Amino acid sequence: MRRGTSNMVVRLPRIPGAARQVDKEQRWLPHLAPHLPLDLPVPLGKGVPGEGYGLPWSVYRWLDGDNAYDEPIIDLGHAAVELGRFVAALRQVDATGGPVSFRGGPVRTREDDVRAAIRDLGADGTVDAAAATAAWEEVLQLPQWDGAPVWIHNDLLPGNLLVRKGMQYRPCASRISNKRQKTGCT
């Protein structure tokens, strides 16, 4: 991200995988924004690959704040409530035609990876392998989603949240996608 003016920012993806987000953001952020309780970056324009820069890029309305790694959230309880409201509202927006996510989907599709991670992390003492295995087996017993696709935020980490004075929370919109539960799951 490069701030262009006081009210605009340019997003210049550095790798082709990130550049694939440009069309998705241009299409879906204006659709999602009016339905959500937190601000999303509004696309103002789209750039095409050209001389000097070989990937598509976007211009957005500037949202003031710092990421939560640089300015930690002060009131974690309030943040949890605000993010919970955001996620609940996001799930209510019609996901018809939305992009499919690589995250989410039936947890059983992660069985081999999870068991390998538990084994590896247990072997070096990072986690209690027996407790982690017991927790994983409880997860496998939970009911699986069988509803229509819903929107999810793929990456609610501190670096993807904007914070102002430790109190404002805005999710990074490039991580929002449509969760297709039936087929497994940007």
Side-chain angles (χ1 to χ4, degrees), residues 35-37 84-93:
H35 304 285
L36 301 176
R85 287 182 180 143
F86 170 81
V87 170
L90 184 62
R91 292 176 56 91
Q92 297 304 309
V93 180

Side-chain angles (χ1 to χ4, degrees), residues 7-133:
N7 63 352
M8 289 188 286
V9 64
V10 178
R11 180 168 185 250
L12 300 167
R14 292 179 286 172
I15 59 173
R20 289 192 290 271
Q21 297 280 33
V22 169
D23 284 335
K24 179 169 61 170
E25 292 170 3
Q26 292 284 324
R27 165 65 180 98
W28 292 103
L29 292 181
H31 171 75
L32 294 169
H35 304 285
L36 301 176
L38 300 175
D39 290 338
L40 296 181
V42 175
L44 301 174
K46 178 182 171 187
V48 296
E51 191 173 324
Y53 196 75
L55 298 172
W57 48 279
S58 292
V59 178
Y60 295 94
R61 178 177 56 94
W62 174 258
L63 295 176
D64 196 30
D66 295 302
N67 76 63
Y69 281 127
D70 295 337
E71 185 175 328
I73 295 170
I74 294 169
D75 185 343
L76 294 177
H78 178 70
V81 169
E82 292 298 310
L83 288 173
R85 287 182 180 143
F86 170 81
V87 170
L90 184 62
R91 292 176 56 91
Q92 297 304 309
V93 180
D94 183 9
T96 302
V100 177
S101 175
F102 70 88
R103 292 186 176 152
V107 295
R108 291 196 182 283
T109 65
R110 308 286 192 211
E111 175 87 19
D112 293 341
D113 293 335
V114 170
R115 292 205 185 266
I118 291 171
R119 181 190 63 242
D120 294 347
L121 294 171
D124 72 8
T126 302
V127 299
D128 176 337
T133 299

